[in-house]
Amino acid sequence: MSTGLDRVRDQRRFGRLDQPRDVRRQLMPRLYYDPEAFGQFSENIARFLGTARFLVYMSVFVVVWFGWNMLVPGGMRFDPYPFIFLTLMLSLQASYAAPLILLAQNRQDYRDRVQYEGDRARHERNVSDTEYLTREVASLRMAMNEVATRDWIRDELQHLLKELESRREERR
């Protein structure tokens, strides 16, 4: 008789018995990377690649490379005149830089889209608040026409005071 604990052990050992087993073998184990950390890393590289400092460093690197391989005696040169190795290094740098820059641009595009949606929602709230306040001001103006204002009461009181004075003088 199989207990629930035995079924749990079997499931751990054999996987789910009600589903076929995935028999594909992985040649290389799957590597885990944090997409957010990798994205930040790529943005930092893209920011650096877009600076004058990078251009200066790269120019100095190429000039030193040329100088070393042109001016140093023949036995110490590691990349003779057509500079094939330099071309390979620059191509490798460009092949890594382009996807990193595109990744950074995609992340910036996503942030801009989120900010745009937030701005649009805020704008819609502001418009609805403004419309509400406009309706409230209009209703207050309409109500004020029906309510006695301070000036109207003052005028009425002055009118009554004059009327009382005139009646008082008539009695005399």
Side-chain angles (χ1 to χ4, degrees):
M1 180 175 194
S2 173
T3 65
L5 185 58
D6 292 333
R7 281 191 299 253
V8 169
R9 284 186 193 143
D10 288 344
Q11 189 173 0
R12 283 187 190 151
R13 189 168 30 164
F14 299 115
R16 298 228 12 199
L17 298 177
D18 61 337
Q19 295 177 355
R21 206 180 325 174
D22 188 13
V23 292
R24 288 183 292 162
R25 293 184 186 177
Q26 292 181 354
L27 297 177
M28 291 186 61
R30 285 194 143 174
L31 298 175
Y32 173 76
Y33 70 95
D34 181 16
E36 187 63 28
F38 187 74
Q40 289 176 352
F41 174 72
S42 67
E43 285 178 345
N44 289 337
I45 289 176
R47 280 191 198 104
F48 177 68
L49 291 177
T51 63
R53 179 183 292 173
F54 173 75
L55 291 175
V56 169
Y57 288 166
M58 197 57 141
S59 299
V60 168
F61 175 77
V62 169
V63 166
V64 167
W65 189 289
F66 282 164
W68 182 269
N69 287 297
M70 297 283 283
L71 303 174
V72 172
M76 297 177 67
R77 294 179 186 167
F78 57 89
D79 192 18
Y81 167 64
F83 304 117
I84 307 270
F85 188 51
L86 177 63
T87 304
L88 176 67
M89 295 293 290
L90 293 175
S91 297
L92 182 66
Q93 183 267 335
S95 68
Y96 276 97
L100 290 174
I101 290 170
L102 288 174
L103 178 63
Q105 286 177 341
N106 288 341
R107 287 172 52 89
Q108 184 63 44
D109 182 48
Y110 175 74
R111 279 195 300 271
D112 290 345
R113 187 173 31 253
V114 167
Q115 183 179 2
Y116 170 73
E117 289 171 1
D119 289 347
R120 190 182 67 206
R122 193 175 314 110
H123 175 70
E124 288 174 359
R125 282 193 308 269
N126 287 341
V127 166
S128 66
D129 288 347
T130 303
E131 289 174 354
Y132 171 76
L133 290 174
T134 303
R135 285 191 301 273
E136 286 297 311
V137 167
S139 68
L140 286 173
R141 284 184 176 165
M142 289 172 54
M144 288 298 288
N145 287 337
E146 299 169 5
V147 174
T149 62
R150 182 177 49 176
D151 293 335
W152 183 80
I153 293 174
R154 184 181 303 130
D155 289 342
E156 288 295 314
L157 287 175
Q158 285 176 354
H159 179 69
L160 285 172
L161 185 61
K162 286 179 184 176
E163 200 174 300
L164 286 173
E165 285 179 5
S166 65
R167 285 186 185 176
R168 189 166 138 197
E169 287 181 7
E170 284 177 2
R171 285 190 194 165
R172 287 190 192 172

